[in-house]
Amino acid sequence: MVWSYITDFFTYETTKSVVVKSWSVGIINRIVQLLIITYFVGWVFIHEKAYQVTDTGIESSVMTKVKGFGYHQNRVMDVADYVFPQQGAGVFCIMTKLILTENQFQGKCAETVDMFSCDTDEDCNKHYGAILSNGVITGVCLKTFNDSKGQCEIEGWCPAENDNYKIKPMLDVKNFTIFIKNSIRFPLFDVTRGNFPSTMTAAEIKNCSYHPETNPFCPIFRVGDVLKYTGQDLAGLANKGGEIGINIEWKCNLDMNIDNCVPRYSFTRLDAPFAKNAVSKGYNFRFAKYFKTENGTEFRTLHKAYAIRFDVMVTGNAGKFDTIPTLINLVAAFTSVGLGTVLCDIILLNFLKGAEQYKAKKFEEVSEAQIEASLAQSPGSQLSLKPGIKSSYDSGAISLATSDQPI
């Protein structure tokens, strides 16, 4: 038994060609080959451009500038009032509603949040270390003479903020404009581009307004139009705030004219999953402006701002013809064409009539003793060919017609 394992190990297998003249198998074979070729030509090479080397490490710089005037709480608001931060970065906020708490001094006063109401000092002691208050809880319950309920005392900036006031948002924000200047570079190809043509004059830029069809390269975006593209309601967004994404996508085929490497804009609401939440809805933040009295005592004005936050995001890639990926995918295509043969073999060996005859012709075991016996009988003759089986002398292939298979 051990010797049989050794002899089986030291054997050699070679391919034997069997030509099967069957319409059904032949049609299946050609259809599979056609589908594979269509996939590689249509999807891999034309759609995915597999013949190109791709640079996805896009380098980008974004500068923004907002223009416009609006009315809020009987005041005219300009850019310095409602844009934060003022540096013109790719992420910025346009404030739509402000709640002011003026003349806050360091001291002790009553908390304004309802959850810190109290009857006795013991009610306030349980709030020690609270982070939802407007200051540090002292443990004292403050009551006025006529109130049965009191409020816990805090130490910090007084009077405490009360943000329960109903204030109308600044709806003039819809007429504000955003200027976006974006420059990108693909380091692999050393290609740089800008988001508007270098031939545009200052007058053209000032007078244009972006439209995806009629004016797709204008860098001026009207806020109302941006919100319309995202399908958002201005009144609700201005009242509670929100986050809007402006995506600049660069997809460049550098095998074509470089002037065809242009940006495409898309707009979305980034906080859409939280828009209908009962808590943490919208977008707001606080900041303060500090002052001093004549005697040097510091005081401040606290601002709670509801705002529309804009995130300008830049994505993209560039591709250019290269020999190596082209050769790799061509080899993969030619190799995959052979899958048709594998499928037809499975059909022939398992499902068609005459499968046993096909197995006998495809798989044949030849020993050295058979070779020597055959050579002794007829030197130079072919091995193991039975009468009735056709042989091709130039290719060594055996032709097996459908008529040769038993029914």
Side-chain angles (χ1 to χ4, degrees), residues 364-378:
E364 183 176 1
E365 184 176 308
V366 179
S367 64
E368 290 183 355
Q370 289 175 312
I371 296 174
E372 291 174 357
S374 178
L375 290 175
Q377 293 174 4
S378 178

Side-chain angles (χ1 to χ4, degrees), residues 292-306:
K292 282 188 177 182
T293 61
E294 292 181 357
N295 62 4
T297 303
E298 186 179 48
F299 68 99
R300 73 177 188 179
T301 297
L302 179 64
H303 300 69
K304 181 178 182 180
Y306 292 85

Side-chain angles (χ1 to χ4, degrees), residues 132-148:
L132 298 179
S133 59
N134 287 298
V136 178
I137 299 294
T138 64
V140 177
C141 182
L142 298 178
K143 290 184 179 181
T144 59
F145 294 105
N146 298 326
D147 290 338
S148 58

Side-chain angles (χ1 to χ4, degrees), residues 17 27 56 62 104-105 147 158 194 210 213 234 248 314 343:
S17 297
I27 290 173
T56 58
V62 175
Q104 284 188 318
F105 290 83
D147 290 338
C158 294
Y210 171 83
E213 296 178 358
L234 173 63
I248 307 175
V314 182
L343 179 61

